[in-house]
Amino acid sequence: MQAATIKINQTGESQTLTIEKPASGLSLQGRIRVPGDKSISHRALMLGALATGETTVEGLLLGEDPRSTAKCFSLLGASISELNAELVTVRGVGLGDLTEPIDVLDAGNSGTTMRLMLGILASHPGRFFAVTGDSSLRSRPMSRVIKPLQQMGAQIWGRAGNSLAPLAVVGQQLKPIHYHSPIASAQVKSCILLAGLMAEGETTVTEPALSRDHSERMLRAFGAQLTVDRETCSVTVTGPAKLIGQKVIVPGDISSAAFWLVAGAIVPNSELVVENVGVNPTRTGVLEALEMMGADIELQNQREAAGEPVADILVRNSAQLKGCTIAGDLIPRLIDEIPILAVAAAFAKGTTVIRDAAELRVKESDRLAVMAAQLNRMGAKITELPDGLEITGGTPLTGADVDSYTDHRIAMSLAIAALNSSGVTNIHRAEAAAISYPDFTATLQQVCQPN
Ligand code: S3P
């Protein structure tokens, strides 16, 4: 029995991940865990930093993105213990008492860090903050949060007409607004709600479709007065709020589990259980999409941990996937899983159409353009649409030289495509996976069993 080739070649800071399945083929087997949820990890560190007293965080994601959040909030005066997945302790400063940092706040690659933090900084009167990020983040639109913050009275300056980082913020006493967001974005919603914590009165955000609601759940648990109207997709926070440190348990990230769910569904004879995955209904669109495609997926041991639903997820490769349409209100509920769903679609029979997903063009990379180009290098038949992809599945894929474009989800999606392809795939700049999943390659090696 010859094992699969799964190896990393390091050149300076850059890694190439090489994947070649053995001539006898392979299947994926085992029970695995994925790292902590990225969205919940950021929020636990931020609310912990703003609260009075101590917050403990179990299961924090140790990826680069939450590390950026931890560094920023340490500079802002919170006392955060060394990051580890078992237990992180955050001693908060108390709402409104962040200190003026002596250096630039660097959000790295993390849109969530920058956008949520802007709401917090803008509402700290009299303090000056400089905010930047890596080259990807410095090209991502910040006007979507800056404009509503300016309506609240925020003072923010930046490149390209106050829309791109680096940014300068001088905190103000903000006033509450009712903001009708043109996009369903949890980052926009959370930014405004966090700014609203310090504004006197009711700050409401209405969005066109429901985005992830981790901020709402956690803000309530920390003691904020918050009401949700599901009918109109509106959330209202009443300020000034008081936040009190809590115990947060971070479930496994369904966005990371998604790589294994697709891998298990497309690689012949696979059977995997991903344990302890967060299955908040605002995040489970990927399960619905895979079900539409005919995947064999079962939720086991459903439970709740610190206000978030959790389950173990079993996936079996039992049937050939079939194409489907993914659009509308489903999109915000699987926004980060579209790259890996494109891989599923490339192996499915028939055509898959993904629409209403123009947001993907302003993620860590232009995920529509990059996924189409990279999978097509492997022999897929994907056409880019202005707001999505049209994927004609079922053609066998062949290994190729492909590039992550330094986007973590692209790197991991291409690795899963490579598992089910013939020949050798080299994924360049694969180190990007560490943004949300530092142990991805180790788990890949662990679950791949030669036939
Ligand atoms: C996130 C919201 C989403 C998502 C991102 C994390 C969050 O972004 O893509 O990975 O934690 O709030 P948008 O709000 O831009 O859709």
Side-chain angles (χ1 to χ4, degrees):
M1 244 180 0
Q2 185 206 342
T5 303
I6 301 170
K7 63 169 195 240
I8 289 175
N9 215 331
Q10 185 96 31
T11 323
E13 303 245 293
S14 186
Q15 290 181 352
T16 298
L17 173 60
T18 299
I19 297 177
E20 183 183 14
K21 65 180 178 191
S24 57
L26 57 76
S27 70
L28 308 185
Q29 308 290 339
R31 294 184 77 86
I32 54 173
R33 287 199 168 217
V34 289
D37 187 277
K38 184 156 76 67
S39 293
I40 298 175
S41 295
H42 284 301
R43 287 158 174 79
L45 293 169
M46 289 186 191
L47 295 197
L50 293 177
T52 47
E54 193 177 270
T55 290
T56 56
V57 191
E58 282 175 40
L60 188 90
L61 166 63
L62 302 180
E64 300 295 336
D65 273 8
R67 286 187 195 281
S68 296
T69 294
K71 267 194 219 137
C72 289
F73 281 84
S74 299
L75 264 175
L76 289 162
S79 159
I80 304 176
S81 69
E82 204 179 306
L83 300 193
N84 67 73
E86 277 77 54
L87 190 70
V88 172
T89 309
V90 184
R91 253 196 178 279
V93 292
L95 197 63
D97 280 334
L98 291 177
T99 52
E100 188 174 70
I102 55 160
D103 206 345
V104 175
L105 298 164
D106 186 353
N109 190 243
S110 175
T112 309
T113 307
M114 186 172 282
R115 294 196 178 116
L116 270 57
M117 187 166 67
L118 282 171
I120 295 169
L121 303 179
S123 58
H124 273 71
R127 274 148 268 193
F128 172 80
F129 310 96
V131 183
T132 193
D134 72 4
S135 61
S136 154
L137 189 55
R138 279 183 273 116
S139 72
R140 295 179 65 187
M142 291 302 140
S143 38
R144 56 181 58 199
V145 293
I146 293 174
K147 282 196 176 136
L149 286 174
Q150 284 171 333
Q151 288 175 26
M152 297 176 81
Q155 296 283 340
I156 303 174
W157 298 266
R159 289 188 302 127
N162 298 336
S163 67
L164 296 177
L167 299 166
V169 182
V170 175
Q172 307 292 323
Q173 175 60 48
L174 300 184
K175 53 180 191 292
I177 55 166
H178 185 162
Y179 185 62
H180 293 268
S181 176
I183 41 173
S185 158
Q187 292 179 357
V188 172
K189 174 176 62 179
S190 304
C191 167
I192 307 308
L193 292 176
L194 288 167
L197 290 174
M198 299 253 289
E200 218 161 294
E202 291 188 344
T203 296
T204 302
V205 183
T206 299
E207 45 182 355
L210 191 61
S211 64
R212 63 192 67 190
D213 69 355
H214 305 299
S215 295
E216 293 91 308
R217 287 172 187 252
M218 207 184 285
L219 277 168
R220 263 217 191 107
F222 274 71
Q225 201 187 320
L226 194 122
T227 55
V228 177
D229 182 347
R230 294 231 170 253
E231 293 260 297
T232 59
C233 296
S234 300
V235 191
T236 300
V237 70
T238 305
K242 219 175 175 220
L243 302 180
I244 298 162
Q246 298 295 315
K247 175 177 171 172
V248 181
I249 301 171
V250 185
D253 197 328
I254 193 167
S255 298
S256 299
F259 300 110
W260 308 118
L261 300 181
V262 170
I266 62 174
V267 178
N269 303 317
S270 296
E271 181 167 336
L272 283 173
V273 177
V274 191
E275 294 176 345
N276 193 45
V277 182
V279 287
N280 177 319
T282 60
R283 296 286 299 282
T284 48
V286 64
L287 302 180
E288 284 157 47
L290 285 172
E291 247 157 53
M292 277 197 278
M293 298 176 95
D296 184 355
I297 288 176
E298 195 183 302
L299 262 57
Q300 302 176 333
N301 195 15
Q302 295 191 50
R303 57 209 186 265
E304 189 146 313
E308 289 279 351
V310 178
D312 302 333
I313 308 179
L314 165 70
V315 59
R316 284 196 207 96
N317 166 264
S318 59
Q320 157 90 58
L321 297 186
K322 55 181 195 294
C324 71
T325 298
I326 303 172
D329 288 1
L330 188 55
I331 295 292
R333 297 177 52 237
L334 46 68
I335 190 77
D336 292 338
E337 288 70 73
I338 289 174
I340 189 61
L341 283 169
V343 172
F347 290 105
K349 214 170 157 209
T351 303
T352 296
V353 179
I354 300 171
R355 262 201 249 102
D356 306 319
E359 269 295 299
L360 262 76
R361 297 206 180 273
V362 290
K363 293 291 180 188
E364 287 83 330
S365 70
D366 177 344
R367 288 182 171 162
L368 298 177
V370 174
M371 278 314 289
Q374 302 309 299
L375 285 178
N376 284 348
R377 288 177 79 96
M378 299 175 77
K381 295 202 174 97
I382 306 182
T383 312
E384 256 183 80
L385 308 172
D387 64 344
L389 297 171
E390 188 173 299
I391 303 162
T392 307
T395 331
L397 299 194
T398 317
D401 269 61
V402 289
D403 189 358
S404 77
Y405 280 76
T406 71
D407 183 329
H408 53 131
R409 300 206 196 278
I410 303 281
M412 294 183 276
S413 298
L414 294 173
I416 300 304
L419 278 187
N420 216 23
S421 304
S422 58
V424 182
T425 301
N426 293 307
I427 303 156
H428 298 291
R429 298 195 276 181
E431 71 282 357
I435 290 290
S436 62
Y437 202 157
D439 293 334
F440 176 76
T441 305
T443 304
L444 190 60
Q445 287 163 333
Q446 179 197 329
V447 295
C448 283
Q449 306 293 328
N451 290 336

